[in-house]
Amino acid sequence: MNYKKGISGDIDSEVDTFVHCITGEPETFSIQDGILTHITETAPLKENAFFAGPGLMDLQVNGIHGIDFNTPTLTQQDLLNATQYLLSKGVTMFYPTIITNSDENILQIAQTIQKACGANSLVNACVGGIHLEGPFISGADGAVGAHDKKYTRAPDWELFSRFQRAAGGQIKLVTLSPEWDGCCEFIEKCRAQGILVSIGHSIANAEQIKMAVRAGAMMSTHLGNGVPLMLPRHPNIIWDQLAADELYACIIADGIHIPDSFLKVVMKNKGNRTILVSDATCFAGLPPGEYQSHIGGAVILDEQKRVSLKSIPGILAGAGKTLLEDIEYLVFNKLATLANAWQMASINIKKMLDEYSHAASADINTDLVIFQVNGKEIKVVKTIKNNQVVYEQ
């Protein structure tokens, strides 16, 4: 594979030893002409050695750095630009996320992503699949979030098949609400084709959650979000998903979407079945200000990187931070160690994909991020995809 378009600058031959951020052990690599090679014999660590960790994986990216994955004007060049920006933040595999929209727009966007993967080897290598987050979600207030409720609908296999054909089979993850009739049959059809199913944007009751899990649902989309602001004490949809041992739990650890106490409860309860996702919008990476969005019109991105609807300030319109910034939040607020936080954004995701998906997941040994920790910032120095340097500071 040729990833030249992703390579920044000239890469010299070098041999160095890094601290593996998850194991804490020293590892030595050689990088020659942009190609990474693991060396069995480990050299002594240098003073102030850099860290190395598996490539980050993000299952929920709605857009990034001014590029919106949910407008029909999305181009193949946009996908390449987004991929390169994400690589600069250590993300070597991501799922472009298409949210609730008109059928025509979903078809157009899915086809553009599929064409971008076919046209560019770097995009194809980094896009693990498409995450379809809607339209098969709840239209109830609170549960629908910033999605356009007029497009929400019951799961429809014929419609989904149209989306999948437009995507060239790239839809690998579907978020839906189990409250709809016929939901379990839809889940079973997805699972038969190796498509992952996640519960989200829902007001489903305890029995509906149980039935969805039995049918094959295996994940919770941004647990703690996409639910009404007021819930019964118990039972409720959050407790029901926490109690389902089969479900992996995705959380947005940006310090905005859910409080620290909830982050701690999920991580302790789910352990290695906890997954970090960014839920990044096109506003992630942009300066604070007022922007226009296809969901809800005007949105405000504030100094803390909170993205909210201008018309309803209490309603979040996605996230303004990258996955790397979520790791920073967990580590520097002492909610998780660097090892645990990085694992939730890489190894835990690979484990889930290997367990449930028919598609091959990224090789954890050939995708690598070399970085420094400066104060409260994690600074990516190099990103390697399939043993090739695709980003260098």
Side-chain angles (χ1 to χ4, degrees):
M1 289 187 181
N2 179 12
Y3 297 153
K4 272 191 172 179
K5 290 185 179 180
I7 296 173
S8 174
D10 296 324
I11 308 299
D12 298 324
S13 173
E14 56 184 89
V15 176
D16 214 338
T17 299
F18 309 93
V19 178
H20 194 286
C21 70
I22 295 178
T23 67
E25 297 295 323
E27 291 197 6
T28 301
F29 307 99
S30 168
I31 298 176
Q32 186 171 7
D33 297 326
I35 306 298
L36 176 126
T37 304
H38 291 255
I39 297 176
T40 305
E41 292 185 8
T42 300
L45 279 172
K46 294 180 181 178
E47 188 176 353
N48 300 320
F50 289 11
F51 289 95
L56 301 177
M57 304 177 181
D58 197 340
L59 298 180
Q60 194 167 4
V61 185
N62 308 285
I64 199 77
H65 203 228
I67 299 162
D68 193 337
F69 295 157
N70 283 277
T71 60
T73 55
L74 180 74
T75 67
Q76 295 179 41
Q77 184 63 44
D78 288 336
L79 262 295
L80 175 58
N81 293 343
T83 299
Q84 291 173 323
Y85 183 82
L86 287 165
L87 286 168
S88 76
K89 303 301 179 183
V91 177
T92 59
M93 190 278 281
F94 69 101
Y95 278 31
T97 301
I98 303 175
I99 70 165
T100 305
N101 209 324
S102 68
D103 296 349
E104 294 74 19
N105 284 348
I106 291 175
L107 289 165
Q108 176 66 45
I109 295 163
Q111 188 174 61
T112 299
I113 295 171
Q114 184 269 330
K115 287 181 177 179
C117 291
N120 188 280
S121 59
L122 182 64
V123 175
N124 189 57
C126 294
V127 171
I130 293 172
H131 179 173
L132 187 67
E133 188 192 359
F136 310 131
I137 61 170
S138 174
D141 290 342
V144 74
H147 290 234
D148 191 336
K149 67 170 62 180
K150 74 181 178 185
Y151 293 123
T152 61
R153 57 187 298 171
D156 181 328
W157 187 253
E158 183 178 345
L159 176 60
F160 173 77
S161 298
R162 288 178 60 203
F163 295 156
Q164 187 69 298
R165 285 193 295 272
Q170 284 273 41
I171 300 173
K172 306 294 185 185
L173 171 60
V174 178
T175 289
L176 52 72
S177 172
E179 70 202 59
W180 295 103
D181 291 339
C183 185
C184 289
E185 292 82 0
F186 183 89
I187 294 172
E188 288 169 353
K189 288 180 178 179
C190 285
R191 296 301 302 122
Q193 295 192 10
I195 299 166
L196 307 178
V197 179
S198 188
I199 298 169
H201 288 282
S202 178
I203 55 169
N205 61 37
E207 186 59 28
Q208 290 166 335
I209 296 289
K210 287 180 182 178
M211 294 296 291
V213 171
R214 287 177 193 154
M218 29 59 62
M219 197 171 82
S220 299
T221 294
H222 50 48
L223 187 61
N225 296 109
V227 293
L229 295 177
M230 299 296 290
L231 292 171
R233 181 176 56 185
H234 48 72
N236 65 51
I237 191 169
I238 295 175
W239 283 118
D240 292 335
Q241 290 178 86
L242 280 172
D245 295 334
E246 302 91 337
L247 295 177
Y248 280 79
C250 293
I251 50 174
I252 307 170
D254 60 359
I256 295 167
H257 277 73
I258 45 181
D260 292 358
S261 58
F262 187 75
L263 289 170
K264 291 172 70 175
V265 167
V266 175
M267 291 186 291
K268 188 170 183 63
N269 174 267
K270 290 295 183 177
N272 289 339
R273 296 179 88 84
T274 308
I275 287 173
L276 297 186
V277 292
S278 69
D279 197 22
T281 62
C282 61
F283 311 113
L286 297 182
E290 180 177 327
Y291 297 92
Q292 288 297 314
S293 170
H294 70 284
I295 52 171
V299 300
I300 303 296
L301 173 66
D302 66 19
E303 295 285 347
Q304 287 71 46
K305 302 193 177 182
R306 176 190 298 269
V307 183
S308 56
L309 298 178
K310 184 179 181 181
S311 58
I312 316 173
I315 297 294
L316 296 174
K321 292 184 180 181
T322 64
L323 191 61
L324 191 66
E325 289 175 297
D326 289 357
I327 291 173
E328 290 173 346
Y329 183 83
L330 289 176
V331 173
F332 299 119
N333 287 281
K334 302 187 187 310
L335 298 171
T337 64
L338 175 62
N340 289 340
W342 202 277
Q343 178 172 328
M344 288 188 286
S346 58
I347 290 175
N348 290 0
I349 299 166
K350 177 173 172 55
K351 177 175 176 286
M352 182 198 70
L353 294 177
D354 289 346
E355 183 178 354
Y356 289 105
S357 178
H358 290 178
S361 63
D363 188 340
I364 213 82
N365 296 312
T366 62
D367 292 358
L368 192 73
V369 183
I370 299 170
F371 62 93
Q372 290 176 295
V373 178
N374 299 323
K376 292 189 175 182
E377 180 185 20
I378 296 174
K379 187 72 174 177
V380 175
V381 177
K382 278 190 179 75
T383 305
I384 290 99
K385 178 69 185 177
N386 291 345
N387 284 333
Q388 295 189 38
V389 175
V390 290
Y391 168 79
E392 185 177 28
Q393 183 184 349

